Amino acid sequence: MKKRLIALAVAAASGAAMAQSSVTVYGRLDGSVGTIKKLGGSSDNKMFSGGDVGLTTPRLGFRGTEDLGGGLKANFKLEQRINIDTGETQAPSFKGETTVGLSGGFGSVRVGRMLTVYDDVRGLSNSRSLWDSNTFTPNSAVFKTSSSTKTKNADYTSRANSQIRYDLPEMGGVYGGLTYAFEQNAGAKDTITGLNLGYKTGGLNAALGYQNEKTKNKYTILAASYDFGAFAISGGYNTRKGAVAADGKDTEYGIGFEIPMGALSLSVGFASGETKNVAKPSKSSGFGIGARYAMSKRTSLYGGYSAVQEKTQGVKSADTKVFALGLRHDF
């Protein structure tokens, strides 16, 4: 018995020694200078943080994993968003992501604040349209037009608080996930549920996404991208249905092209949307064009121009043009 207990203790100690953990500090800085011109002729020349006009929002993050043995891992991620023009951090703290979870042969489970599975499919639809940027990609403005004709919070919630997310393991190109987020505001019953299912093979990536934001809207999107080598294309068809009839319906689509030329990448995108079954129906459309030059694997120079216009009952109600030149660095 004594020998058996000693053997078990040695085995447990060996297992503990085999467990490995790692923590990575990472970040992204993105800033630009340019002009925004709106309906009526007013213009604003300024410095932008990447979250306003640029490729992506600046951030500082920490991610880590611990090998628990038997293919099981514990994972965490903390990501804070930053305004590069002022140096201020965005509220709430660690707005980008705060998650902890487990992964293994069953896939992965995370809890906390993070992107929804629906957002993955929206990102796929924009992946070749101005690099899925915050402003240059026309979808980002067309799908949430600036006038008051659309219902409040018409575009989807990309990140949800108090969320449980499950992602399937790799299965021969098939991937998918489920999202459930508890009430976002106490007593509001505004839970969020969603799912996605996709398939990747070679240069093709196609997926279907659904998100139900209870008390607000339901969203469905079909998206795909294909890399032909000499150029790549992405696109998506999106619908929104209001929680009540008066909130109306949206039908929206976007398409993008990217042409790699060594370190230089050129991209163009177009998007269109229409809101029906509301007091003041509207239509919106926009396009973007830009160039990105990779100075290294981590540093890029970029420039872009986008123009989005909306008409409400046939009369122009919004017209926004953006031009900017910027620099992005990842670390």
Side-chain angles (χ1 to χ4, degrees):
M1 177 62 73
K2 185 176 179 180
K3 291 182 178 180
R4 183 179 179 184
L5 290 175
I6 293 174
L8 288 173
V10 171
S14 299
M18 290 175 63
Q20 297 181 353
S21 62
S22 64
V23 177
T24 300
V25 179
Y26 68 95
R28 179 174 298 161
L29 298 173
D30 187 333
S32 65
V33 292
T35 300
I36 292 182
K37 186 176 182 180
K38 296 186 177 182
L39 183 65
S42 63
S43 61
D44 191 8
N45 304 315
K46 59 184 295 186
M47 177 180 290
F48 303 104
S49 183
D52 300 318
V53 174
L55 298 183
T56 52
T57 306
R59 65 201 62 182
L60 174 65
F62 308 86
R63 58 174 173 254
T65 183
E66 181 183 14
D67 189 344
L68 301 175
L72 185 65
K73 294 182 179 180
N75 310 291
F76 79 88
K77 186 174 181 181
L78 296 169
E79 187 175 284
Q80 173 68 67
R81 296 306 174 94
I82 303 167
N83 294 323
I84 195 172
D85 51 339
T86 64
E88 297 175 332
T89 57
Q90 295 183 4
S93 298
F94 293 102
K95 178 181 178 180
E97 183 169 332
T98 53
T99 59
V100 64
L102 296 172
S103 61
F106 60 87
S108 68
V109 176
R110 288 176 285 165
V111 297
R113 173 180 169 82
M114 71 197 96
L115 293 168
T116 68
V117 294
Y118 176 89
D119 182 79
D120 292 358
V121 187
R122 178 69 75 89
L124 173 62
S125 72
N126 297 337
S127 58
R128 303 298 182 173
S129 178
L130 285 297
W131 312 284
D132 192 20
S133 64
N134 291 322
T135 302
F136 300 136
T137 301
N139 300 35
S140 60
V142 170
F143 290 9
K144 51 180 179 182
T145 48
S146 57
S147 78
S148 60
T149 57
K150 285 194 174 185
T151 57
K152 187 177 182 180
N153 300 319
D155 205 19
Y156 76 111
T157 299
S158 59
R159 287 177 175 80
N161 299 329
S162 304
Q163 183 182 169
I164 302 172
R165 173 168 169 160
Y166 169 69
D167 289 280
L168 293 170
E170 293 185 9
M171 299 185 298
V174 176
Y175 62 91
L178 299 170
T179 285
Y180 178 77
F182 295 90
E183 284 185 340
Q184 301 299 287
N185 299 281
K189 298 182 180 180
D190 53 347
T191 59
I192 298 174
T193 56
L195 60 88
N196 70 19
L197 184 64
Y199 179 69
K200 291 192 293 186
T201 180
L204 174 67
N205 187 353
L208 175 69
Y210 173 79
Q211 184 159 296
N212 182 357
E213 300 184 22
K214 194 173 181 181
T215 75
K216 292 183 180 180
N217 300 288
K218 297 178 182 179
Y219 304 88
T220 304
I221 185 170
L222 179 63
S225 69
Y226 196 90
D227 189 345
F228 292 90
F231 70 96
I233 183 174
S234 69
Y237 178 78
N238 187 71
T239 65
R240 177 195 67 86
K241 182 179 180 181
V244 297
D247 289 339
K249 300 178 180 180
D250 291 348
T251 55
E252 305 156 330
Y253 69 89
I255 189 169
F257 297 88
E258 185 178 345
I259 304 173
M261 303 170 63
L264 180 66
S265 175
L266 304 178
S267 184
V268 295
F270 175 80
S272 179
E274 182 175 8
T275 300
K276 298 179 179 180
N277 300 342
V278 292
K280 296 180 179 180
S282 67
K283 293 182 179 181
S284 53
S285 62
F287 76 94
I289 184 169
R292 180 177 180 181
Y293 180 77
M295 302 179 70
S296 69
K297 290 183 178 181
R298 296 181 176 272
T299 304
S300 296
L301 289 170
Y302 65 85
Y305 172 83
S306 68
V308 175
Q309 183 181 105
E310 179 187 18
K311 290 185 177 180
T312 303
Q313 294 180 306
V315 179
K316 187 186 295 186
S317 53
D319 191 346
T320 304
K321 297 179 175 65
V322 178
F323 171 76
L325 298 172
L327 175 67
R328 166 177 158 174
H329 175 74
D330 297 332
F331 64 89

